[in-house]
DNA sequence: GGCGCTCTAGGACGACTGTCCTACAATTTT
DNA sequence: AAAATTGTAGGACAGTCGTCCTAGAGCGCC
């Protein structure tokens, strides 16, 4: 098998395991088992566990950019695009109830570990923040665009943590509805 | 030194370390070093790491109950008491920016570890939830008290995650102000 | 066939983990 | 003073961790 395909398999497995069980709690053996490779052989593809994390974050950044670009084509209005983001917590409610938000939980964990890759993980948040800010600017609120973007991010993180803690789908739906109404007050 | 004092020292040190570095990332050696005891000797006081976590959660539950009772005496109105909760993110902003919310981050971590003590940690959330629900009921919104309580909890968790990720004090202040205005619409 | 490159298996390594045990100091009780 | 209790130190234990090394399989190219 070509190295690139194996590398992608490793990244995909690590991505899933980091999300489900956390970075620290996922061992090389776990990833190796998921891909079907021997443990020691990993150093041909990645020279350290940090390098895998780096690749996982890069992959998530690329996936996120792809998703945001797709939203640009699917939703015609900035408000519609913002709602696309808000509704992630509904779309991914099953995973969120089980594992929380992939971005939020990773950032929280890396902060506690004082991990060198924390800054890299922060770029995931910044990517959403910048995109949301642009949507609010297009909506005609350039002056407070960043504050509104941060508010929407905080909404999603709050819902994710609570949904993970209480496994309450009705709660998620209510909060999304509340957010939709809030967003209407900013539409012109 | 009597055992009870040593035990309390261990719980206090473990509480702080679990909050700062996470449960899994904190080892017996770390706690022992913080208290100034030998590693192996812990089994005289706690028979397992889970037992320490259990004691830490119990201590946090007791501290939280004390805090909530104090709020009952300090704030005359239910709205004032709810604002006391909302303003935690401001009062504890330094710790929150560094380590996030003690309750939220612990629950998130234990969920990923599929740890048996996850249910115990959930009681911390439930304690706040029940208390907030009671305040909203006293405010005259008995019918939606639980939904409103969950909304306030989600607010605090969202702010905590974002403040931890971006270290933005102005953001915390803005969100608290936003929450104060929101709460005014529910006052009679 | 022989060479070189890509990829892999398997194990060794030192460090660290939670757990447990035993011997001993300190203190209290008899 | 002797005995019993309470608390401690230090190390052994089996296991796991991330890391690294070596030998060799599979393959295209000369």
């Amino acid at each position: 098998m070509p190295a690139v395909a194996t590398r992608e398999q490793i990244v995909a497995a690590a991505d899933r395991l980091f999300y489900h069980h956390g970075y620290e709690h996922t061992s090389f053996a776990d990833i190796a088992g998921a891909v079907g490779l021997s443990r020691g052989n990993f150093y041909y593809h990645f020279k350290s566990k940090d390098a895998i994390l780096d690749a996982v974050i890069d992959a998530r950044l690329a996936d996120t950019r792809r998703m945001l670009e797709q939203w640009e084509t699917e939703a015609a209005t900035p408000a519609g695009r913002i709602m696309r983001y808000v509704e992630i917590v509904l779309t991914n409610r099953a995973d969120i109830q089980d594992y929380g938000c992939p971005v939020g939980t990773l950032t929280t964990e890396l902060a506690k570990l004082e991990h060198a890759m924390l800054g890299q993980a922060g770029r995931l948040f910044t990517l959403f923040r910048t995109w949301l800010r642009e949507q609010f600017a297009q909506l005609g609120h350039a002056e407070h665009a960043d504050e509104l973007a941060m508010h929407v991010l905080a909404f999603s993180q709050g819902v994710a943590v609570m949904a993970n803690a209480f496994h309450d789908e009705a709660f998620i739906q209510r909060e999304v509805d509340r957010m939709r109404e809030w967003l209407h007050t900013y539409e012109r």
Side-chain angles (χ1 to χ4, degrees), chain A:
Chain A
M1 193 191 318
V4 51
T6 303
R7 216 188 120 96
E8 279 168 12
Q9 271 191 293
I10 293 175
V11 171
D15 191 347
R16 203 189 96 256
L17 289 168
F18 289 170
Y19 179 36
H20 289 194
H21 305 127
Y23 172 71
E24 193 177 26
H25 195 58
T26 300
S27 71
F28 270 65
D30 293 333
I31 307 174
V35 181
L37 289 181
S38 72
R39 189 175 68 269
N41 186 32
F42 264 81
Y43 278 71
Y44 178 79
H45 299 280
F46 293 98
K47 73 176 205 301
S48 74
K49 199 181 174 186
D50 291 7
I52 298 185
L53 177 57
D54 198 22
V56 166
I57 292 175
D58 279 348
R60 289 193 187 181
L61 280 168
D63 287 347
T64 304
R65 288 198 191 92
R66 243 190 309 275
M67 185 179 66
L68 295 179
E69 281 171 23
Q70 197 182 334
W71 287 353
E72 304 269 353
T73 71
E74 287 177 3
T77 67
R81 292 193 281 274
I82 294 168
M83 275 312 293
R84 267 287 216 282
Y85 175 83
V86 168
E87 283 165 355
I88 293 184
V89 295
L90 219 47
T91 311
N92 300 343
R93 61 186 179 278
D95 280 345
I96 287 175
Q97 286 179 99
D98 285 343
Y99 315 109
C101 167
V103 180
T105 56
L106 179 65
T107 304
T108 298
E109 181 181 2
L110 295 184
K112 296 224 189 234
L113 303 186
E114 300 176 86
H115 196 286
M117 216 69 76
L118 174 60
Q120 282 295 313
R123 293 177 58 203
L124 280 162
F125 262 135
T126 303
L127 182 55
F128 281 113
R129 179 179 181 170
T130 306
W131 184 85
L132 283 168
R133 181 168 52 204
E134 172 61 21
Q135 307 311 314
F136 277 110
Q138 290 180 19
L139 201 57
H141 297 87
E143 202 161 340
H144 301 101
D146 190 58
E147 302 176 6
L148 294 168
M150 285 291 284
H151 180 70
V152 173
L153 283 178
F155 151 83
S156 66
Q157 292 306 309
V159 169
V161 171
M162 298 307 294
N164 182 225
F166 286 107
H167 292 79
D168 186 339
E169 280 204 21
F171 158 76
I172 304 176
Q173 182 67 59
R174 279 199 312 272
E175 290 297 316
V176 168
D177 291 343
R178 196 187 289 273
M179 209 59 187
R180 198 193 325 271
E181 285 178 37
W182 172 82
L183 190 57
H184 280 327
T185 69
Y186 284 89
E187 286 186 86
R188 42 182 47 185

